[in-house]
């Protein structure tokens, strides 16, 4: 009987088979397959479920102390080169496998409710299974090359799913933006991989690490080149994990269906960048410059995400910028040389952020019953309020998520975020200060979201706000045709069990999982990296832990308190107190640091203009010369007539006859 | 004597085409199309049988050899054979042609002539890859021009006369260089002239002579491939061709250029190649970026895809110039891969045009709502074209990248510059392909289009054609050795020949400007990347 680790290749293959089957069905017997909603969903959920069972079996083996398993085969090659593929299972991979399959499974169950009325139900489930397969493949990749393969595949799934509602212009633009921005990152990743292969002759993580530092130490490779290669590779994670300045695609990607935002754009795919950086630790570790750059980029990102989240009125966009910010924390941990802390935050964040997104989906689903299928209305918090009374489960789990992300003990976010801040405090005090400040902002904007959505009174029926929102979005307001499609309820309702159950299930780890990573006895650390965990546990002292933790809790409480005063008790009006007094800052934040505008001007329009100019050159200069020559040589006299009268056969015969004649002529000389 | 597989594969479709006038047909093409499909499929089976029965992938040399004296006075012999460079392309030719017959199903205008030309082209193109005599090669090369010209000029779009004339002038003009170079090589060194590849390969040409011949041949094949700036016939020809012709142009015709570069420029003139290779690499990069940008700006769908073909052929040039087995293998695979992907995209262009009756992107929009299967097929083929992993384009481009980046023939700075520029293509390709999809399928339905046209979804025949192309595309993407093993030995032998010439030349073929880069001072030990363990 083979061990579960040896069967790890089945984990991505099972969902892939399911996806292929339904995908082929959709292409060949579209109508029939589209009617088989429940069987298809059941098939795909089963395939992901089997992958989940296998993943947990592997995790159990790893917990019992099994070593890493690696299986490789020759994939392509020529001469003395062999490109190898295969799979690798170790503790880090096992944790990620369990995490991804768990959340994918819950999201699929949730989607059964969320997408129930969508005509693309079957297609949606097919994409979900395809994504799960690619993501799981990425997790078990043994080398950089295979990571790159799955890296692109998850990007493709993200493209397909963001553009799922392809008749919406916003979704179409967002999908394209997501893919192209990620390709910019992949540009660096590809070059970095090539460069590292050139320098070390390997695609494997450990070998690259060893040989690269050996080459630098031996003087064979300038340090600058090694650092450059490391940074090129880092461009990939920057794009995938939405790090400044390549984060611009993630908020737009919220145009996809909300279960996707939870699965891909919060819990799994965007974390892949962090995962890759964790895998690359043996490569990055010997170069403090690289670590510093990673830490600084992470810090900029966490600060940027949080500041923009402060002013967002769209519920999902608010959560999206929060994700950007939290991903920044993870990168900061990687830069501080504490991959275990970063990975731990990845795990806890995956649970509570998936729950928050699914909660927001539940809210949007309920809002759509009141305001219709119009994202501009259904996702705007100005139309929400008072939903706690109507949606008790959603609001309770959302509140748990808010507490968890704010870093209030003993919920999950406290332990992981505090560990990162502790590491940053030791490595880069300045960056710690930024992270610390941002922790307060995080608590504030999360509770702002909570209060605006769930407390107060319901504003969904306010026609004035609706008209205002629609006109702000540039759409005709008060259009009677649009107004009443599917809008049939006067107030929102709690979602069905398929949507409520995953929320409840996710609430459990959101509360408890942090306890696995307490700094004095981190079971998570012991599993993933026993050496680092033992070091952390040895150095742990209450005298150092308590003041830092206390300060974090204090600033979070401050943020929560401010949110309570402003949005629950309405004691202070931030609109006039802050936004009114500093309009420049407010505008800066509301325009997302103007980064989208810069991108549009510089890159989008710039590349269009360049392309048009090149085409002009092509058609006027290059082709012009050709046409001119043609005219000069053939334009005079009889020759032209044949072209114009269309006696093509005759002309072709002449050419052919001429050729034969030439051949005979030349041959005669021989 | 073993069965003459290759002669059969060449002569059977041509002979069968000559019988087309006797096929009973009411003039609407409903009978003759079955006949043509049958002939094309039989030809495909013959080539497959040739591969299975008479071809050993492990043998780097010439196989399936048939040699009959034809006109001994002229030194002309019917000499055919196949090695790793030609065998995959022969299979590709017969495969794509049989799918093109299926793609030509709706042709009702002069169907007999149309299928006659299609089948004649089939034989002609197989001959181009199979013949082992330069004079025969030249004849075959010219012979297949005629059908293409007529197919363009009779069944093309509005500007078909212009496009067809431009095509024939370009290619016929450039092929004179082949003849000149061929004659010069045949008569070199005195003695009885021979056009046989094996005889020519054994000759020791002087370096100056090699350079002259190389330049002449590069122009001839550069037009075909095409190499910027010799490419302007292609957007016109492709822009006017009908879907099946289009598939053949993109799927096979362009590959004749790449094949001929490998066969003559690299194999017969290795020393000149050692000097010209950096130029090939630079031209390849220019192809990639220049054509990607023009494709992005194009508003006409067919021309957009046509430029994308040019862009993809840039990787073939880089691979050929890479002096590494991996890179040259990648070039070979890129030709096969683009043959499949290009054919599928052009087929879809035709199928879309049948419905929308326009190729202008501005006049489309929101088509995906009525044509969902078509949308799915387009998406898959576009993703294949932008080198998504799991499909063949990714593997071939990756092999070219890795092969070139680790090639010892070039200085580090040159490799860095080229790799960075070529990688820009990685960004540009999705930009133009995805924005194309965006404009055709995404968004609100264009009311103008919806009111004038009847947008029906893909029919089973169309899905079948695309599936036939996607199976090898994905098969190669998942396990490239399916194909690379069939030519590996031949490519390794070829690169071995290149390396010998390189050593003979005594220096790395690097432009002096590039050699003095910032990294030029690195120790040579570092340039020898160890093999992957």
């Amino acid at each position: 009987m083979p061990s579960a680790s040896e069967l790890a290749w089945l984990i991505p293959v099972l969902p892939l088979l399911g996806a292929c089957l339904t995908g082929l069905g959709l292409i060949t017997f579209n109508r029939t397959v589209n009617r088989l909603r429940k069987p298809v969903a059941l098939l795909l959920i089963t395939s992901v479920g089997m992958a989940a069972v296998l993943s947990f079996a592997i995790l159990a083996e790893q917990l019992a102390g099994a070593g890493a398993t690696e299986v490789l085969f020759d994939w392509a090659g020529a001469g003395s080169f062999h490109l190898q593929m295969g799979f690798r299972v170790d503790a880090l991979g096992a944790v990620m496998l369990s995490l991804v399959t768990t959340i994918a499974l819950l999201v699929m169950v949730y989607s059964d409710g969320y997408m129930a009325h969508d005509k693309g139900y079957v297609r949606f489930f097919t994409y979900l299974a395809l994504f799960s397969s690619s993501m799981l493949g990425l997790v078990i990749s043994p080398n950089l090359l295979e990571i790159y393969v799955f890296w692109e595949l998850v990007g493709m799934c993200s493209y397909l799913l963001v553009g799922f509602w392809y008749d919406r212009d916003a979704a179409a633009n967002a999908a394209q933006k997501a893919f192209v921005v990620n390709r910019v990152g992949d540009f660096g990743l590809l070059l970095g991989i090539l460069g590292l292969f050139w320098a070390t002759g390997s695609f494997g993580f450990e070998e690259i690490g060893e040989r690269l530092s050996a080459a630098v130490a031996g003087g064979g490779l300038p340090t600058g080149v090694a650092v450059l290669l490391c940074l090129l590779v880092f461009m990939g994670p920057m794009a995938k994990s939405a790090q400044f300045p390549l984060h611009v695609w993630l908020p737009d990607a919220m145009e996809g269906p909300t279960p996707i935002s939870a699965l891909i754009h919060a819990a799994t795919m965007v974390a892949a960048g962090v995962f890759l950086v964790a895998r690359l630790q043996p490569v990055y570790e010997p170069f403090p410059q690289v670590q510093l750059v990673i830490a600084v980029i992470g810090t900029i990102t966490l600060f940027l995400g949080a500041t923009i989240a402060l002013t967002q009125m769209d519920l999902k966009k608010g959560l999206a910028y929060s994700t950007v910010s939290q991903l920044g924390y993870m990168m900061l941990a990687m830069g501080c040389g504490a991959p275990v802390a970063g990975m731990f935050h990845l795990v806890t964040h995956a649970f509570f952020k998936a729950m928050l997104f699914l909660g927001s989906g539940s809210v949007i689903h309920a809002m759509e019953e009141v305001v219709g299928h119009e994202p501009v209305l259904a996702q705007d918090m100005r139309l929400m309020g008072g939903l706690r009374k109507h949606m008790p489960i959603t609001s309770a789990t959302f509140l748990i998520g808010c507490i968890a992300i704010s870093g209030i003990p003993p919920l999950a976010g406290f332990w992981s975020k505090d560990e990162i801040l502790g590491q940053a405090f030791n490595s880069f005090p300045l960056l710690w200060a930024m992270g610390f400040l941002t922790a307060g902002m995080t608590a504030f904007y999360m509770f702002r979201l909570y209060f605006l959505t769930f407390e107060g009174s319901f504003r969904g029926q306010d026609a004035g706000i609706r008209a205002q929102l629609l006109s702000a979005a540039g759409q005709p307001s008060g259009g009677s045709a649009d107004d009443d499609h599917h809008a049939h309820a006067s107030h929102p309702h709690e979602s069905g069990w398929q949507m409520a159950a995953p929320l409840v299930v996710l609430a459990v780890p959101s509360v408890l999982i942090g306890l696995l990573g307490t700094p004095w006895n981190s079971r998570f650390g012991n599993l993933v990296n026993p050496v680092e965990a033992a070091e952390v546990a040895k150095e742990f002292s209450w005298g150092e832990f308590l003041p830092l933790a206390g300060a974090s809790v204090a600033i979070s409480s401050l943020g929560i308190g401010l949110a309570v005063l402003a949005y629950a008790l309405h004691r202070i009006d931030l609109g006039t107190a802050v936004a009114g007094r500093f309009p420049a800052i407010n505008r800066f934040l509301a325009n997302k640091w103007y980064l989208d505008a810069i991108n549009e001007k510089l890159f989008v329009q710039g590349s269009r203009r360049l392309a048009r100019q090149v085409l002009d050159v092509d058609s006027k200069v290059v082709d012009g010369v050709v046409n001119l020559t043609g005219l000069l040589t053939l334009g005079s006299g009889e020759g032209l007539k044949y072209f114009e009268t269309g006696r093509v056969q005759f002309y072709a015969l002449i050419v052919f006859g001429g050729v034969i004649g030439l051949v005979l002529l030349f041959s005669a000389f021989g | 004597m073993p069965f003459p597989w290759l002669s059969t594969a060449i002569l059977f479709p041509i002979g069968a085409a000559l019988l087309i006038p006797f096929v009973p047909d009411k003039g609407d093409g409903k009978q003759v199309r079955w006949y043509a499909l049958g002939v094309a499929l039989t030809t495909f089976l013959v080539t497959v049988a040739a591969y299975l029965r008479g071809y050993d992938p492990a043998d780097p040399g010439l196989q399936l050899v048939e040699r009959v004296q034809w006109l001994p006075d002229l030194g002309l012999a019917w000499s055919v054979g196949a090695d790793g460079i030609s065998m995959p392309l022969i299979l590709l030719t017969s495969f794509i042609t049989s799918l093109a017959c299926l793609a030509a199903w709706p042709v009702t205008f002069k169907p007999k002539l149309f299928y006659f030309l299609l089948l004649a082209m089939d034989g002609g193109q197989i001959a181009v890859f199979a013949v082992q005599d330069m004079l025969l090669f030249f004849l075959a090369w010219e012979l297949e021009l005629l059908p293409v010209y007529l197919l363009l000029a009779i069944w093309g779009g509005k500007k078909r006369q212009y496009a067809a004339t431009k095509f024939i002038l370009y290619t016929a003009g450039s092929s004179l260089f082949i003849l000149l170079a061929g004659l010069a090589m045949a008569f070199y060194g005195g003695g009885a002239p021979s056009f046989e590849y094996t005889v020519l390969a054994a000759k020791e040409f002087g370096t100056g002579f090699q350079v002259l011949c190389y330049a002449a041949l590069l122009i001839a094949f550069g037009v075909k491939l095409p190499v910027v700036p010799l490419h302007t016939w292609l957007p016109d020809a492709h822009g006017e061709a009908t879907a099946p012709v289009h598939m053949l142009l993109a799927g096979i015709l362009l590959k004749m250029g790449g094949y001929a570069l490998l066969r003559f420029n690299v194999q017969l003139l290795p020393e000149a190649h050692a000097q010209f290779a950096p130029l090939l690499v630079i031209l390849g990069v220019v192809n990639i970026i220049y054509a990607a940008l023009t494709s992005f700006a194009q508003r006409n769908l067919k021309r957009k895809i046509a430029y994308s073909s040019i862009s993809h052929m840039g990787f073939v040039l880089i691979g050929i110039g890479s002096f590494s087995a991996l890179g040259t293998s990648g070039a070979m695979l890129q030709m096969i891969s683009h043959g499949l992907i290009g054919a599928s995209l052009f087929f879809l262009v035709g199928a879309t045009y049948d419905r929308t009756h326009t190729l202008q992107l501005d006049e489309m929009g929101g088509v995906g709502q009525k044509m969902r299967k078509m949308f799915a097929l387009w998406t898959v083929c576009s993703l294949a074209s932008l080198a998504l992993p799991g499909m063949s384009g990714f593997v071939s481009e990756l092999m070219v990248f890795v092969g070139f980046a680790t090639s010892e023939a070039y200085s580090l700075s040159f490799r860095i510059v080229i790799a960075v520029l070529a990688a820009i293509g990685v960004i540009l390709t999705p930009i133009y392909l995805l924005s194309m999809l965006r404009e055709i399928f995404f968004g609100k339905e264009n009311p103008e289009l919806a009111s004038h046209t009847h947008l029906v979804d893909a029919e089973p025949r169309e899905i079948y054609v695309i599936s036939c192309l996607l199976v090898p595309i994905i098969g190669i993407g998942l396990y490239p050795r399916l194909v690379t093993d069939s030519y590996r030995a031949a490519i390794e032998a070829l690169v071995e020949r290149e390396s010998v010439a390189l050593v003979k030349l005594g220096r790395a073929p690097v432009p002096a400007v590039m050699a003095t880069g910032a990294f030029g001072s690195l120790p040579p030990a570092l340039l020898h990347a160890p093999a992957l363990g």
Side-chain angles (χ1 to χ4, degrees), chain B residues 427-487:
Chain B
I427 305 178
L428 291 176
T429 317
I431 289 181
Y432 68 75
L433 282 172
L434 295 186
S435 53
M436 174 193 78
L437 286 182
R438 163 87 183 81
E439 288 186 272
I440 305 176
F441 292 101
F442 284 87
K444 297 266 176 290
E445 200 168 42
N446 184 344
E448 183 84 1
L449 185 74
S451 63
H452 288 306
T453 53
H454 183 52
L455 300 176
V456 283
D457 209 344
E459 53 181 277
R461 176 182 63 91
E462 290 161 339
I463 294 174
Y464 178 76
V465 171
I466 294 295
S467 318
C468 285
L469 291 163
L470 280 178
V471 167
I473 290 174
I474 294 175
I476 297 172
L478 294 180
Y479 193 60
R481 285 178 56 188
L482 283 177
V483 172
T484 53
D485 277 358
S486 76
Y487 58 73

Side-chain angles (χ1 to χ4, degrees), chain B residues 59-108:
Chain B
D59 181 355
L62 202 61
Q63 303 169 56
L64 292 161
V65 181
E66 297 158 36
R67 202 170 185 288
V68 181
Q69 280 298 335
W70 194 1
L71 297 173
D73 300 336
L74 306 185
L76 186 63
W78 176 260
S79 165
V80 293
D83 61 2
I85 306 172
S86 48
M87 196 66 221
L89 295 169
I90 291 174
L91 286 168
L92 182 76
T93 304
S94 56
F95 178 63
I96 300 275
T97 307
S98 45
L99 287 178
C101 279
L102 206 52
W105 229 233
V107 169
T108 50

Side-chain angles (χ1 to χ4, degrees), chain A residues 193-211:
Chain A
I193 292 176
L194 284 179
L196 286 176
F197 180 71
W198 156 78
T200 66
S202 170
F203 290 116
F205 306 106
E206 273 97 15
E207 286 125 49
I208 294 180
E210 283 164 20
R211 294 183 197 169

Side-chain angles (χ1 to χ4, degrees), chain A residues 244 247 299-309 321 324 593 595:
Chain A
F244 173 85
H247 67 281
T299 309
I300 296 176
T301 309
L302 68 89
F303 183 69
L304 167 134
T307 52
I308 298 178
Y321 279 107
V324 171
W593 290 32
L595 289 172

Side-chain angles (χ1 to χ4, degrees), chain B residues 219-243:
Chain B
I219 292 174
F221 305 140
V223 165
K224 205 72 170 185
L225 194 64
V227 178
V228 174
L230 304 174
H231 65 284
T232 59
W233 64 271
L234 185 137
D236 283 315
H238 282 206
E240 300 306 316
T242 49

Side-chain angles (χ1 to χ4, degrees), chain A residues 649, chain B residues 13 17 20-21 25 27-29 32-33 35-37 97-122 146-157 240-248 461:
Chain A
Q649 290 90 335
Chain B
I20 278 190
D25 189 273
D28 54 1
V32 72
R33 66 190 187 189
Y35 175 78
L37 181 64
T97 307
S98 45
L99 287 178
C101 279
L102 206 52
W105 229 233
V107 169
T108 50
F109 179 66
K110 296 193 184 181
K112 282 193 172 178
L113 184 58
F114 187 88
Y115 285 109
F116 168 80
L117 295 170
L118 220 53
L119 292 179
M121 222 170 133
D122 195 8
L146 195 61
V148 177
Y149 174 70
L150 292 176
L151 285 168
L152 275 177
I154 300 177
W155 286 269
E240 300 306 316
T242 49
V245 181
H246 222 154
M247 289 170 74
L248 294 176
R461 176 182 63 91

Side-chain angles (χ1 to χ4, degrees), chain A residues 74-75 79 82 84 152-153 156 166-167 169 173 176 183 201-202 220 611 618 623 626-627 643 648 652 666-667, chain B residues 74 146 149 162 165-166 170 183 231-232 290 307 368-369 386 388-389 426 435 438 442-443 478 480 492 526 532-533:
Chain A
D74 258 12
W75 180 66
H82 302 279
Q84 291 188 313
E152 290 283 300
L153 288 179
M156 171 203 74
Y166 51 82
D167 52 341
D169 282 324
N173 294 338
Q176 195 181 334
R183 268 289 168 116
S202 170
D618 191 65
D623 204 30
V626 173
N627 284 335
F643 303 118
V648 288
F666 277 106
S667 308
Chain B
L74 306 185
L146 195 61
Y149 174 70
Y162 171 75
T165 308
K166 203 167 175 180
Y170 251 108
L183 290 171
H231 65 284
T232 59
Y290 179 90
Y307 275 110
Q369 290 170 49
L386 60 79
L388 191 80
V426 171
S435 53
R438 163 87 183 81
F442 284 87
L478 294 180
E492 279 168 12
L526 205 64
L532 185 65

Side-chain angles (χ1 to χ4, degrees), chain A residues 248-294:
Chain A
V248 286
W249 65 273
L250 184 59
D252 288 23
M254 295 300 128
E255 290 296 335
T258 309
I260 293 316
S261 312
L263 176 64
I264 301 187
H265 303 124
T268 55
M269 185 189 84
V270 290
V274 179
F275 172 75
L276 177 57
V277 177
R279 278 272 192 235
L280 285 170
Q281 272 306 308
V283 182
Y284 287 164
E285 218 164 14
F287 303 104
Q289 304 96 318
V290 178
Q291 302 272 45
L292 179 66
V293 170
I294 295 177

